[in-house]
Structures are given as C-alpha cells and as structure tokens.
Amino acid sequence: MLSELASYRVDWADLNKAHQKNSEFLAALSADTEAMRQLVDGVRTNSHLWDMCEHNRLFDKLVLHDAPDRDFRIRLHVWSNMEVAAPHDHRWSFTTRLLAGTYDHVLYQVIEEADADVSVAPAFEPRFRTTERVGDSYTIHHDIVHATTTQAHTVSLLVRGPAEKSVSRRMDPNTGKLWFGLGRKDQTEADVAKRRMTVERFEVIRAQLVDTGII
C-alpha cells in the first residue's frame, strides 16, 4: 500500500466521492499490517511528522503521512482512556475508519447562530445517533457539529483534508460556553510544548498497536 500512498490524491469538493475513495483506501491500508508498521515506525525518523504528533490528556495522535500538495494527511488516533468529547466541528473535512474499540457518535444541527458575543455557542440539537464499531467508516464536512463518547483502547485511522478555516469550535451544551481550536501555526509555544509527544509515550502507543494487531 505504500506505493499507492505515494500517489494518492483526494478531491474534497465532492464529499460522496471522497468518502467512497477514502473509505476504500483506509480499509486497504489498515489491512496491510506491514505497511502500517512501516508508517508508524517511520514517524520516529521523520522530524516533520514527529513534530506534529501529540499526546493529549485522553488520546494520542500520530501523523503517519503528510501530503499537502495532494490535499491530505494521514493520522492515527489512539485512546488509552474513555473520552466524552463536547460537541465540536473541525477546521477540515475528514474520513475515518475504526480499527479497534468503539464509540457512540452524535451529529447535531445548528438551529440558530449566536449573536456578536463570540464566547456564546450557537443553538444546536442532536439529529443522528449511532455507534461506530471496528470496520465502520464515515466522512464529515468541516462545518458539521458532532460529539463522540469513545471507549478506552479505541484506535482510528483518519485521512483529513486541508484546513478550510482558521478555527474550530467546541461547545458546552450545558452552559452554552464556546471555545476555539487553533491550527499549529497559530498556537503558543507553551500550548505546543505541553502536548508534545515523547519517545517514552510513543513506545507505549506502539506496544498497544502491536497488541491489537494493527502493526
């Protein structure tokens, strides 16, 4: 699959076509254990990819491949603990495939945007609920608001598109408070530093991927 990855390209203008293409690609890539192993191990020797990897409080992010000239990036998300994510959107559209574990998934519809107070979230309500399981795949436009409750030891493989806006939004459904997420170039050095991946953490993640048969 590595040769296919080297020439892969995504057109995000048609999400239906992007979903079909990306879903098939992620299925084939995740089934190629040797290719996955090479991509994961290659992160440690590629300074560009390594710099984008992050250790967050409840999950870790490995950037396996970056192709801005072909409008996509491949990421692996690994949850060590259960995470209940607040409703949020993204700066980019993406397709994801679940490789291990499970999570509950809610899609929302924004029914009224907030006024000029940028600290107040828009009014939104749930429109679709599902449970994502191993082998499931879906594609989300960057404007879609969704939330996930992810079980511990869940792993997902994701292909994301280029950033379409400067910030993402995260919303508290109880208080109506709104937070903004920034791309790496707009984050402070302190924010980047506190999420920086360590070699020790990478080895823990790698061992989990081996145990689950992903690599």
Side-chain angles (χ1 to χ4, degrees), residues 19-96:
H19 171 72
Q20 181 177 356
K21 182 177 182 178
N22 289 337
S23 296
E24 292 173 354
F25 180 77
L26 291 177
L29 178 59
S30 60
D32 189 338
T33 307
E34 176 60 21
M36 290 292 295
R37 184 191 65 77
Q38 291 187 44
L39 289 173
V40 170
D41 288 346
V43 170
R44 284 289 295 114
T45 58
N46 185 312
S47 60
H48 174 64
L49 299 179
W50 179 250
D51 183 62
M52 292 189 287
C53 296
E54 293 181 358
H55 169 56
N56 296 283
R57 185 171 62 90
L58 297 173
F59 82 100
D60 296 279
K61 178 183 74 178
L62 298 182
V63 179
L64 305 184
H65 187 79
D66 188 34
D69 58 320
R70 289 175 281 130
D71 291 332
F72 78 97
R73 181 180 295 169
I74 300 287
R75 298 183 358 182
L76 193 68
H77 291 182
V78 182
W79 282 263
S80 296
N81 300 290
M82 179 180 178
E83 180 193 31
V84 181
H88 60 281
D89 62 12
H90 293 266
R91 295 184 305 114
W92 25 262
S93 302
F94 69 93
T95 302
T96 192

Side-chain angles (χ1 to χ4, degrees), residues 14-193:
D14 187 331
L15 274 193
N16 288 328
K17 291 182 178 179
H19 171 72
Q20 181 177 356
K21 182 177 182 178
N22 289 337
S23 296
E24 292 173 354
F25 180 77
L26 291 177
L29 178 59
S30 60
D32 189 338
T33 307
E34 176 60 21
M36 290 292 295
R37 184 191 65 77
Q38 291 187 44
L39 289 173
V40 170
D41 288 346
V43 170
R44 284 289 295 114
T45 58
N46 185 312
S47 60
H48 174 64
L49 299 179
W50 179 250
D51 183 62
M52 292 189 287
C53 296
E54 293 181 358
H55 169 56
N56 296 283
R57 185 171 62 90
L58 297 173
F59 82 100
D60 296 279
K61 178 183 74 178
L62 298 182
V63 179
L64 305 184
H65 187 79
D66 188 34
D69 58 320
R70 289 175 281 130
D71 291 332
F72 78 97
R73 181 180 295 169
I74 300 287
R75 298 183 358 182
L76 193 68
H77 291 182
V78 182
W79 282 263
S80 296
N81 300 290
M82 179 180 178
E83 180 193 31
V84 181
H88 60 281
D89 62 12
H90 293 266
R91 295 184 305 114
W92 25 262
S93 302
F94 69 93
T95 302
T96 192
R97 178 180 176 85
L98 200 60
L99 306 187
T102 182
Y103 55 84
D104 295 327
H105 194 190
V106 182
L107 300 182
Y108 295 88
Q109 179 181 1
V110 174
I111 56 178
E112 184 179 358
E113 288 289 348
D115 55 23
D117 186 350
V118 296
S119 66
V120 177
F124 58 95
E125 58 187 19
R127 288 300 194 198
F128 181 75
R129 295 177 183 269
T130 187
T131 299
E132 310 293 349
R133 297 180 173 85
V134 173
D136 288 345
S137 181
Y138 61 87
T139 299
I140 283 187
H141 186 270
H142 60 84
D143 281 335
I144 295 295
V145 176
H146 73 140
T148 55
T149 299
T150 308
Q151 299 303 312
H153 310 303
T154 292
V155 180
S156 66
L157 187 62
L158 178 150
V159 52
R160 55 149 283 189
E164 301 285 349
K165 52 197 179 190
S166 60
V167 298
S168 59
R169 301 184 295 178
R170 182 165 58 93
M171 311 160 193
D172 187 326
N174 298 315
T175 66
K177 188 175 181 180
L178 182 67
W179 296 271
F180 294 98
L182 302 174
R184 172 64 70 88
K185 65 181 180 63
D186 296 318
Q187 297 174 15
T188 66
E189 291 185 8
D191 284 339
V192 173

